[in-house]
C-alpha cells in the first residue's frame, strides 16, 4: 500500500544520539530526503555534530564534514571550490549549522560567503540557544527566555537577532524560513533552493525539549504554534528584495505558544504583552511588504 | 545493519577521521519509558449504524475519488444505499464527532449520492453460479431482501417468496412516494434481486406451508409486522374506521383514493401515523392527528415530526379515543378524553392517564388507526408470540432447526437499517450453519472514538454558508465534486487514514510504512510521543507502561 521511498531505508537514519523529540533530526531527514545522495554536509560544532554518531560511526547517508565553530562558511566555500575544480559542480554543498554558529560565532564568515554569493545551501537549525553545552543564550534566543546564562530575574532582555534581514541586505538569491510542522512547505523550499545557484539561506525553527523545557511530544505542536502565533512566520525573500509570506497564519495569541514552554515560565504579564505587540508589528510589516509587491529597497546614502 | 567498530591498534585507524559504519547498532529503544501503540478505535458513525456500514471507510475512499470502491464497500453491509439515503433516520450522523466542531458530515446525503451513483454508473460483477445449498426467504421487505442478497452473493440458491405482487415490503407498500418514489426504488431492488428467484403472490400459510419448505436447507422469515393493533373501544369496527397501514398500502398500490374535503382523523404518533396523516392531507383531507402523549414522546423519527409540523395538519396531544359512533348523516362522532402524563411505563416514557370528566366530541368522515403493528405469525399453528423475542419453541420441528428470522419480527427497533442489518446477520448465520458452525452475536467491546481523540489542529473549520449553498443549493442533488468535498471533511475518527504525520514527524525514523500500514520500530523508538500527539484521528496512543 505505502512505499518506503527517499534515501533512507533499512534503518539508515536510526540510532543517533539526539534527545527524544529533537526537532533537528526531523528537519535533517527531510532535507536529505529532498536533496538526495549528491550532497556534502558541512557541519560546525553544535548538537548536530555531536549526535550524528560516535566516531567512526555516523547516521549520515552522505559525506558529513565536521568543522570548527567559526569556520563552517569558509570550509564550505573551500569544499565548493574543490568540487568546481574537479568538475563536480552538480554536488550540493550544504551547511548544517545551529544558531550559535550562524548568528554568533560564524557570523563573519557567513557574511563573507554571502557577499561573494558562494554557491552554497546554508541551512540553520535554530533551537534558540547553545543547547548541547548546557542551554546558554545566543543572539537567536528570544526576548524573555530563560537560559542558564539568562536565569530567572535576568531573563534575556534583547530581542532575537533578525538574521534573515541581515542576509537580505547581502542581496543573496534566496532566503526562506521554515518549520518542521509544515513539512510540505519545508520540503518545497529545500527543493526550490536546490535549483538556485548562489548562496541560499534557510532558517528553520528547531524545537528542543530539554532547552525549551517542553514536553518531547509537543515538539511539532510548538513548531506549528510558533507559526500560527506569528512568532516564527513563514516567508521567502528573493534577491534580497521581494518578500512573500508562504503561509497565512491564524494569528493566535502568543500565549498559546509561550505557555507550553518552561523557558518562558518567568515572563511577567508586561513582558508577555511586549512579545505580543512586537510580534503583531513584525507580522504587520511582513504582511505589508508581501502585499505591496514592492521591492525592499534600502535607503542608500547619496554619494 | 552496522556493527560497532572497535579499533584494536593504531593501524586499524583511518588516516583522517572518517566514518566507517552507521549507527543502527545503537538500539535507542532502550531509552524509552513509554511506548506508542496502534489502537484503531471504532468511529461513532460506524458504531451507530444499525446496518453495520463502514461509513468512515467509504468516505475515505470517496475522498480519494474511488467512487466504485466506496460503493462496493457499502454493498458489503447494505444492499440498498439509495433507500437508506432517503428513509434512514441516520443515527450515524447525529453522533458524528464533527458536529461540535462545525457541522456533522451529511452522511445521509453522502449515502443518497452513492445510491444514485450506483443506479447510474455501477455494473455489479458476475454472481457465482448457484451451488447445491438452497434457501427460502419469506418476505421481500428490507430484511428478506438483505438476507437473500447476502446468501446469493455467496453462491446459495435463493428463492424469495412474498404475498404481494412487488418486492420491497414496507418500502414499496408502506412508505409514501413523496418520501421514496417507487420508480427510484425499483431499479435498486432489481440490482439486489439479480440471480434470485422471486415468487410473488405467494403467501406462506395460505399458498404454501411447512411441507413445501422441506426441500430447502435453510429458511429465513422476514414477514414484518403488519397486523394493526386494536384500540379496544366501542365502534372501532364501524365501516369508516380503517387501518392506517392498509390505507397506505392501497395508495401505494396505485388504487385511487379520494379524500377531497373529508374530515380525517389519524390516531397514533409513530412513523405510520405521520405517513398516514401526510398522505391523507395530500389526497385533499382536512387532517387532525390525535396522540395520547406529547410531542416529546412521539415514537416517529424527529425528522418526520418536523416535516409533519410544517404541514397544515392539526395536532392534538394528550387525547385518547374512548368511543366512536355513527351519526344519522353517515358521519362519525368521536369521543375523546384528555390525558395527563403519569409515571413512566416499561418503555421509559410517561404513561398517559385519563383526566376524569374531560370528555369531548369531534366529528369526522374517516378515522385511520395507526397505534402500532404486531407481527402476524398465524401461519404457525401454535401461533408464535406476537411480542418479545421470537419464540422458536413454538415452531414445527421440521422447520425449527433451519429457521432464521429478522426484521420487524424481532424486538429490535423497527427501522429499515435494523431490518437490513438483521437480514445480513441471518445470512451470515445461515452460511455458518451450512458449514456446521454457529455464530453467536458478538458482544460489543468496541472502543468508540470521541471528540477528544481528534487533534483539531489538523482540521480547518468550513465556511458554513458556503457549504450550505454548495450542498443544498441544488435541492439536495449533488455531484461528484461536492460529494468528495464533503467526504474530505471527515475526521476519520479513530482509524488511521495514512496521513503520514507519524512517519513524517518521528525524529528517529522509527515509524515504518509497510504493507500492514504504519508500524513502530521499537528497536529505535525513544518514546518521545510525537507520533501519537500528532496523529489527527487518535489511532495511536502512548502506553505509559513502556
Ligand atoms: C408507514 C411506515 C413508514 C415507515 N418509515 C420508515 C422510515 O422512514 N425509516 C425507517 O428506517 N423505517 C421506517 N419504517 C419501518 C420499516 O419500514 C420497517 O422496520 C421495515 O420495513 C421492516 O422490514 P421487514 O423486512 O422486517 O418487513 P416488511 O418491510 O414489513 O416486509 C415484510 C414482507 O413480508 C411480506 N409478508 C408478510 N407476511 C407474509 C406471508 N405470510 N407470506 C409471504 N409474505 C409475507 C409482506 O408482504 C412484506 O413484503 C416505516 C414503517 C411503516 C409502517
Ligand atoms: S467525522 Fe467521519 S469518522 Fe468521525 S463520526 Fe463523522 S463521519 Fe464518522
Ligand atoms: S515519534 Fe518516533 S521516537 Fe517518538 S514515540 Fe513515536 S515512534 Fe517513538
Ligand atoms: S499519524 Fe496519520 S499515518 Fe500515522 S497513524 Fe495517525 S492517521 Fe495514520
Amino acid at each position: 500500500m505505502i512505499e518506503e521511498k527517499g534515501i533512507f531505508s533499512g534503518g539508515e537514519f536510526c540510532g543517533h544520539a539526539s534527545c527524544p523529540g529533537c526537532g533537528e533530526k526531523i528537519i535533517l531527514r527531510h532535507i536529505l530526503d529532498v536533496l538526495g545522495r549528491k550532497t556534502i554536509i558541512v557541519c560546525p560544532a553544535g548538537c548536530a555534530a555531536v549526535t550524528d554518531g560516535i566516531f567512526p560511526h555516523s547516521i549520515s547517508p552522505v559525506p558529513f564534514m565536521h568543522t570548527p565553530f567559526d569556520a563552517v562558511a569558509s570550509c564550505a566555500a573551500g569544499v565548493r571550490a574543490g568540487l568546481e575544480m574537479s568538475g563536480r559542480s552538480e554536488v550540493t554543498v550544504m551547511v548544517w549549522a545551529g544558531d550559535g554558529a550562524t548568528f554568533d560565532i560564524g557570523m563573519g564568515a557567513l557574511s563573507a560567503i554571502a557577499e561573494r554569493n558562494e554557491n552554497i545551501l546554508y541551512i540553520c537549525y535554530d533551537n534558540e540557544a547553545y543547547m548541547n553545552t548546557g542551554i546558554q543564550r545566543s543572539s537567536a534566543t528570544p526576548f524573555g527566555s530563560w537560559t542558564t546564562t539568562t536565569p530567572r530575574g535576568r531573563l534575556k532582555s534583547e530581542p532575537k537577532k533578525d538574521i534573515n534581514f541581515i542576509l537580505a541586505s547581502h542581496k543573496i538569491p534566496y532566503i526562506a524560513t521554515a518549520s518542521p510542522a509544515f513539512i510540505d512547505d519545508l520540503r518545497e523550499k529545500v527543493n526550490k533552493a536546490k535549483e538556485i545557484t548562489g548562496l541560499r539561506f534557510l532558517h528553520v525553527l528547531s524545537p528542543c525539549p530539554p532547552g525549551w523545557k517542553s514536553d518531547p511530544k509537543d515538539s511539532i505542536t510548538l513548531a506549528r504554534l510558533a507559526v500560527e502565533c506569528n512568532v516564527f512566520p513563514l516567508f521567502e525573500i528573493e534577491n534580497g528584495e521581494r518578500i512573500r509570506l508562504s503561509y497565512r497564519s491564524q494569528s493566535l495569541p502568543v500565549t498559546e505558544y509561550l505557555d507550553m514552554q518552561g523557558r518562558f515560565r518567568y515572563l511577567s504579564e508586561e513582558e508577555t504583552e511586549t512579545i505580543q505587540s512586537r510580534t503583531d508589528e513584525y507580522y504587520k510589516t511582513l504582511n505589508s511588504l508581501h502585499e505591496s509587491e514592492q521591492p525592499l529597497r534600502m535607503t542608500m546614502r547619496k554619494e | 545493519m552496522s556493527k560497532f567498530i572497535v579499533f584494536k591498534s593504531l593501524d586499524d585507524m583511518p588516516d583522517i577521521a572518517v566514518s566507517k559504519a552507521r549507527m543502527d547498532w545503537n538500539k535507542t529503544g532502550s531509552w524509552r519509558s513509554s511506548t506508542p501503540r496502534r489502537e484503531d478505535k471504532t468511529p461513532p458513525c460506524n458504531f451507530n449504524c444499525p446496518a453495520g456500514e463502514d461509513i468512515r471507510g467509504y468516505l475515505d475512499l470517496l475522498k480519494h475519488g474511488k467512487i466504485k470502491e466506496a460503493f462496493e464497500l457499502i454493498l458489503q453491509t447494505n444492499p440498498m444505499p439509495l433507500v437508506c439515503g432517503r428513509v434512514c433516520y441516520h443515527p450515524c450522523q447525529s453522533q458524528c464527532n464533527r458536529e461540535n466542531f462545525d457541522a456533522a458530515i451529511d452522511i445521509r446525503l453522502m449515502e443518497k449520492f452513492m445510491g444514485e451513483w450506483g443506479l447510474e454508473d455501477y455494473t455489479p460483477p458476475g454472481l457465482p453460479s448457484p451451488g447445491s445449498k438452497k434457501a427460502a426467504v419469506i418476505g421481500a421487505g428490507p430484511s428478506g431482501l438483505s438476507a437473500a442478497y447476502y446468501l446469493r452473493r455467496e453462491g446459495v440458491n435463493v428463492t424469495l417468496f412474498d404475498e404481494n405482487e412487488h418486492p420491497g415490503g414496507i418500502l414499496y407498500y408502506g412508505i409514501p412516494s413523496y418520501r421514496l418514489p417507487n420508480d427510484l426504488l425499483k431499479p435498486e431492488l432489481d440490482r439486489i434481486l439479480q440471480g434470485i428467484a422471486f415468487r410473488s403472490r405467494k403467501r406462506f400459510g395460505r399458498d404454501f406451508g411447512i411441507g413445501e419448505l422441506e426441500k430447502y436447507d435453510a429458511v429465513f422469515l422476514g414477514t414484518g409486522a403488519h397486523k394493526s393493533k386494536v384500540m379496544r373501544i366501542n365502534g372501532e369496527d364501524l365501516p369508516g374506521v380503517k387501518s392506517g397501514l392498509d390505507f397506505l398500502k392501497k395508495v401505494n398500490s396505485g388504487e385511487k383514493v379520494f379524500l377531497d374535503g373529508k374530515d380525517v382523523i389519524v390516531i397514533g404518533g409513530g412513523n405510520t401515523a405521520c405517513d398516514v396523516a401526510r398522505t391523507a392531507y395530500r389526497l385533499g383531507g382536512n387532517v387532525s392527528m390525535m396522540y395520547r402523549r406529547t410531542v416529546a414522546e412521539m415514537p416517529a423519527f424527529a425528522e418526520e415530526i418536523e416535516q409533519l409540523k410544517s404541514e397544515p395538519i392539526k395536532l392534538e396531544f394528550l387525547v385518547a379515543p374512548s368511543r366512536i359512533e355513527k351519526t344519522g348523516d353517515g358521519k362519525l362522532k368521536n369521543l375523546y378524553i384528555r390525558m395527563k402524563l403519569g409515571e413512566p411505563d416499561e418503555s421509559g416514557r410517561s404513561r398517559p392517564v385519563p383526566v376524569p370528566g374531560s370528555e369531548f366530541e369531534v366529528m369526522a368522515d374517516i378515522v385511520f388507526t395507526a397505534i402500532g403493528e404486531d407481527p402476524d405469525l398465524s401461519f404457525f399453528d401454535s401461533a408464535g408470540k406476537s411480542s418479545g423475542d421470537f419464540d422458536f419453541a413454538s415452531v414445527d420441528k421440521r422447520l425449527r432447526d433451519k429457521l432464521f428470522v429478522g426484521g420487524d419480527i424481532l424486538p429490535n427497533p423497527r427501522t429499515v437499517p435494523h431490518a437490513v442489518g438483521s437480514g445480513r446477520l441471518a445470512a451470515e448465520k445461515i452460511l455458518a450453519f451450512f458449514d456446521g458452525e454457529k455464530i453467536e452475536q458478538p458482544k460489543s467491546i468496541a472502543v468508540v472514538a470521541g471528540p477528544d481523540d481528534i487533534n483539531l489542529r489538523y482540521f480547518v473549520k468550513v465556511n458554513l454558508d458556503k457549504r450550505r449553498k454548495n450542498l443544498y443549493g441544488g435541492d439536495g442533488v449533488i455531484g461528484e465534486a461536492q460529494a468528495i468535498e464533503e467526504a474530505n471533511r471527515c475526521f476519520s475518527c479513530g482509524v488511521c487514514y495514512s496521513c503520514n504525520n507519524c512517519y513524517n514527524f518521528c525524529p528517529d525514523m522509527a515509524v515504518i510504512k509497510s504493507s500492514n500500514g504504519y508500524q513502530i520500530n521499537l528497536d529505535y523508538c525513544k518514546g518521545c510521543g510525537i507520533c501519537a500527539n500528532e496523529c489527527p484521528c487518535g489511532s495511536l496512543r502512548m502506553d505509559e507502561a513502556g
Side-chain angles (χ1 to χ4, degrees):
Chain A
M1 121 213 194
I2 322 147
E3 246 180 79
E4 190 92 42
K5 57 177 202 292
I7 66 175
F8 301 114
S9 55
E12 221 171 344
F13 205 73
C14 295
H16 62 71
S18 285
C19 310
C22 175
E24 183 257 329
K25 286 295 184 290
I26 306 174
I27 302 162
L28 183 60
R29 34 170 292 227
H30 285 282
I31 291 172
L32 289 177
D33 196 31
V34 176
L35 293 180
R37 296 228 177 242
K38 289 201 170 170
T39 304
I40 294 178
I41 299 178
V42 187
C43 177
C47 290
V50 300
T51 55
D52 80 300
I54 306 167
F55 174 72
H57 310 87
S58 171
I59 54 159
S60 179
V62 300
F64 192 110
M65 180 177 160
H66 294 263
T67 80
F69 226 145
D70 57 343
V72 65
S74 319
C75 291
V79 172
R80 178 83 266 162
L83 287 168
E84 297 300 327
M85 294 296 284
S86 50
R88 305 183 58 184
S89 50
E90 79 282 7
V91 177
T92 302
V93 176
M94 166 192 155
V95 170
W96 184 235
D99 50 299
T102 306
F103 286 59
D104 298 346
I105 301 176
M107 182 79 193
L110 170 58
S111 175
I113 62 166
E115 190 266 339
R116 296 198 303 274
N117 196 25
E118 294 275 1
N119 189 17
I120 290 167
L121 172 56
Y122 192 114
I123 309 182
C124 172
Y125 63 93
D126 181 5
N127 53 25
E128 306 194 310
Y130 292 83
M131 294 308 188
N132 91 80
T133 51
I135 323 176
Q136 293 86 8
R137 63 91 92 183
S138 76
S139 58
T141 303
F143 168 82
S145 176
W146 167 94
T147 64
T148 52
T149 47
T150 53
R152 186 173 189 181
R154 316 203 58 161
L155 299 176
K156 192 177 183 240
S157 55
E158 305 80 13
K160 184 182 175 96
K161 186 185 278 181
D162 196 348
I163 190 87
N164 300 302
F165 282 82
I166 294 172
L167 282 152
S169 67
H170 291 70
K171 307 281 179 210
I172 57 173
Y174 187 66
I175 296 167
T177 62
S179 154
F182 294 78
I183 216 78
D184 293 338
D185 175 75
L186 168 73
R187 293 175 66 108
E188 238 168 72
K189 283 168 173 167
V190 174
N191 203 24
K192 191 166 171 185
K194 184 186 175 190
E195 303 304 323
I196 295 170
T197 312
L199 187 71
R200 298 136 279 163
F201 182 76
L202 248 56
H203 177 200
V204 192
L205 185 68
S206 180
C208 169
W212 293 10
K213 302 282 168 239
S214 58
D215 192 321
K217 78 172 180 359
D218 289 328
S219 291
I220 290 297
T221 302
L222 284 170
R224 176 175 305 278
L225 283 173
V227 174
E228 296 294 6
C229 302
N230 299 334
V231 172
F232 198 90
L234 299 181
F235 61 92
E236 297 174 296
I237 310 178
E238 273 166 20
N239 302 316
E241 290 193 330
R242 183 69 186 88
I243 296 181
R244 271 191 209 93
L245 284 173
S246 356
Y247 174 73
R248 288 274 165 200
S249 80
Q250 299 174 40
S251 293
L252 302 176
V254 290
T255 45
E256 290 213 16
Y257 173 67
L258 303 176
D259 290 352
M260 285 175 77
Q261 304 172 62
R263 63 174 173 155
F264 293 116
R265 187 184 313 154
Y266 306 116
L267 283 173
S268 67
E269 230 167 81
E270 212 184 347
E271 284 161 333
T272 306
E273 269 164 36
T274 305
I275 295 176
Q276 183 68 65
S277 64
R278 283 186 189 165
T279 303
D280 291 347
E281 208 166 299
Y282 192 75
Y283 194 68
K284 219 170 97 193
T285 310
L286 279 180
N287 198 25
S288 64
L289 287 168
H290 169 93
E291 302 217 308
S292 72
E293 295 187 17
Q294 291 301 311
L296 174 73
R297 294 236 186 271
M298 301 294 156
T299 351
M300 296 288 205
R301 194 174 334 137
K302 294 236 168 66
E303 293 294 315
Chain B
M1 166 84 64
S2 292
K3 286 218 172 66
F4 183 66
I5 298 172
V6 184
F7 297 126
K8 298 236 169 59
S9 71
L10 209 54
D11 291 340
D12 281 358
M13 290 190 61
D15 293 338
I16 54 163
V18 66
S19 59
K20 297 269 184 203
R22 302 204 299 245
M23 284 290 290
D24 46 0
W25 49 267
N26 186 25
K27 299 283 168 59
T28 51
S30 62
W31 301 19
R32 197 173 57 238
S33 62
S34 61
T35 303
R37 303 247 186 255
R38 150 101 35 232
E39 193 182 78
D40 274 353
K41 301 180 182 72
T42 306
C45 50
N46 290 13
F47 184 73
N48 286 291
C49 174
E53 275 181 51
D54 181 3
I55 296 157
R56 185 219 67 92
Y58 82 72
L59 290 178
D60 195 41
L61 289 164
L62 190 53
K63 267 182 204 174
H64 296 97
K66 296 183 180 166
I67 305 190
K68 178 166 173 273
E69 287 83 349
F71 186 72
E72 288 183 335
L73 183 58
I74 296 179
L75 290 190
Q76 279 184 25
T77 52
N78 185 345
M80 47 184 84
L82 183 67
V83 166
C84 285
R86 286 183 158 260
V87 305
C88 177
Y89 62 113
H90 282 75
C92 50
Q93 193 168 326
S94 46
Q95 300 300 319
C96 173
N97 277 334
R98 186 126 191 169
E99 173 64 19
N100 291 328
F101 182 63
D102 48 12
I105 309 295
D106 195 331
I107 302 174
R108 154 175 247 171
L109 194 56
M110 296 291 103
E111 194 171 29
K112 185 164 160 281
F113 165 80
M114 292 305 308
E116 280 157 8
W117 181 90
L119 289 194
E120 308 238 319
D121 300 292
Y122 183 67
T123 325
L127 287 161
S129 39
S132 58
K133 291 289 182 195
K134 285 188 178 153
V137 174
I138 307 172
S143 69
L145 286 164
S146 167
Y149 176 79
Y150 290 106
L151 288 170
R152 185 60 192 85
R153 264 167 72 126
E154 297 303 321
V156 176
N157 195 331
V158 182
T159 310
L160 174 60
F161 299 93
D162 198 288
E163 60 175 328
N164 284 318
E165 183 181 350
H166 297 282
I170 296 290
L171 304 178
Y172 191 98
Y173 292 100
I175 298 178
S177 61
Y178 57 88
R179 292 209 288 131
L180 180 63
N182 282 345
D183 54 352
L184 269 183
L185 173 67
K186 256 186 74 54
E188 185 154 72
L189 296 188
D190 287 346
R191 189 185 61 228
I192 296 170
L193 288 170
Q194 271 168 30
I196 294 167
F198 178 57
R199 303 264 177 275
S200 65
R201 290 194 217 136
K202 290 269 178 293
R203 182 177 166 87
F204 178 47
R206 180 190 69 199
D207 305 319
F208 64 104
I210 291 175
E212 279 87 344
L213 293 175
E214 257 167 38
K215 61 174 187 255
Y216 296 97
D217 302 294
V219 175
F220 174 84
L221 189 67
T223 46
H226 290 250
K227 200 166 65 182
S228 291
K229 281 198 166 94
V230 287
M231 299 187 288
R232 294 198 193 88
I233 58 169
N234 283 334
E236 80 177 294
D237 312 325
L238 289 170
V241 183
K242 299 172 188 201
S243 143
L245 186 54
D246 287 346
F247 160 69
L248 289 176
K249 286 180 186 169
K250 260 195 191 148
V251 176
N252 278 330
S253 309
E255 260 184 63
K256 294 272 171 282
V257 182
F258 297 100
L259 295 175
D260 267 336
K262 296 239 165 80
D263 292 323
V264 179
I265 286 178
V266 180
I267 302 173
N271 286 316
T272 311
C274 292
D275 281 341
V276 170
R278 294 178 66 199
T279 303
Y281 160 68
R282 279 165 177 69
L283 295 173
N286 304 317
V287 185
S288 314
M289 208 167 139
M290 306 285 190
Y291 180 50
R292 60 193 184 131
R293 302 185 223 225
T294 72
V295 68
E297 287 85 24
M298 277 174 81
F301 301 138
E303 220 166 280
E304 190 61 359
I305 298 173
E306 281 312 304
Q307 306 264 326
L308 179 78
K309 283 197 209 150
S310 70
E311 293 179 1
I313 291 166
K314 201 170 152 220
L315 302 175
E316 284 266 13
F317 295 109
L318 290 169
V319 291
S322 53
R323 192 153 35 100
I324 306 174
E325 290 166 10
K326 191 130 205 154
T327 59
D329 54 1
K331 291 223 170 219
L332 296 167
K333 182 165 104 184
N334 295 263
L335 286 169
Y336 283 90
I337 185 156
R338 299 224 177 261
M339 313 292 273
K340 63 172 194 243
L341 292 182
E343 295 294 302
D345 64 7
E346 64 278 7
S347 74
R349 298 174 305 168
S350 302
R351 189 192 301 276
V353 285
V355 179
S358 65
E359 285 214 336
F360 64 102
E361 228 181 77
V362 187
M363 298 302 289
D365 297 298
I366 300 174
V367 175
F368 289 126
T369 65
I371 59 164
E373 297 87 21
D374 287 323
D376 177 2
L377 302 177
S378 55
F379 37 69
F380 293 135
D381 299 335
S382 45
K385 280 195 296 177
S386 60
S387 64
D389 250 328
F390 184 82
D391 181 14
F392 280 94
S394 71
V395 178
D396 188 298
K397 283 203 302 307
R398 285 172 290 165
L399 188 55
R400 193 186 304 153
D401 293 337
K402 58 177 183 183
L403 181 69
F404 298 81
V405 295
D408 280 2
I409 292 184
L410 295 176
N412 288 333
R414 291 193 183 152
T415 76
V416 175
H418 280 95
V420 166
S422 66
R424 178 173 46 77
L425 191 71
E428 284 166 14
K429 285 185 181 166
I430 291 171
L431 291 167
F433 168 70
F434 287 163
D435 293 339
E437 292 158 16
K438 201 170 168 180
I439 299 183
E440 292 303 330
Q441 197 128 1
K443 271 223 191 74
S444 171
I445 42 155
V447 181
V448 180
D452 294 343
D453 290 308
I454 312 300
N455 185 340
L456 293 177
R457 289 196 205 285
Y458 285 101
F459 301 97
V460 186
K461 288 197 168 120
V462 281
N463 177 327
L464 287 176
D465 276 340
K466 225 176 106 197
R467 171 174 176 268
R468 206 170 297 130
K469 264 192 218 115
N470 200 18
L471 283 188
Y472 311 116
D475 279 343
V477 180
I478 55 166
E480 215 172 291
Q482 286 128 305
I484 291 175
E485 194 175 329
E486 180 69 356
N488 256 312
R489 294 176 57 240
C490 171
F491 287 158
S492 187
C493 303
V495 183
C496 171
Y497 64 108
S498 310
C499 78
N500 250 347
N501 276 1
C502 54
Y503 173 78
N504 274 342
F505 293 142
C506 174
D508 295 278
M509 285 293 284
V511 178
I512 302 169
K513 295 196 240 181
S514 73
S515 49
N516 296 329
Y518 295 73
Q519 305 212 311
I520 312 290
N521 184 347
L522 292 178
D523 279 349
Y524 301 105
C525 164
K526 291 174 185 161
C528 68
I530 291 181
C531 51
N533 202 36
E534 300 305 324
C535 176
C537 64
S539 153
L540 289 169
R541 174 183 66 87
M542 291 311 282
D543 185 348
E544 301 304 329

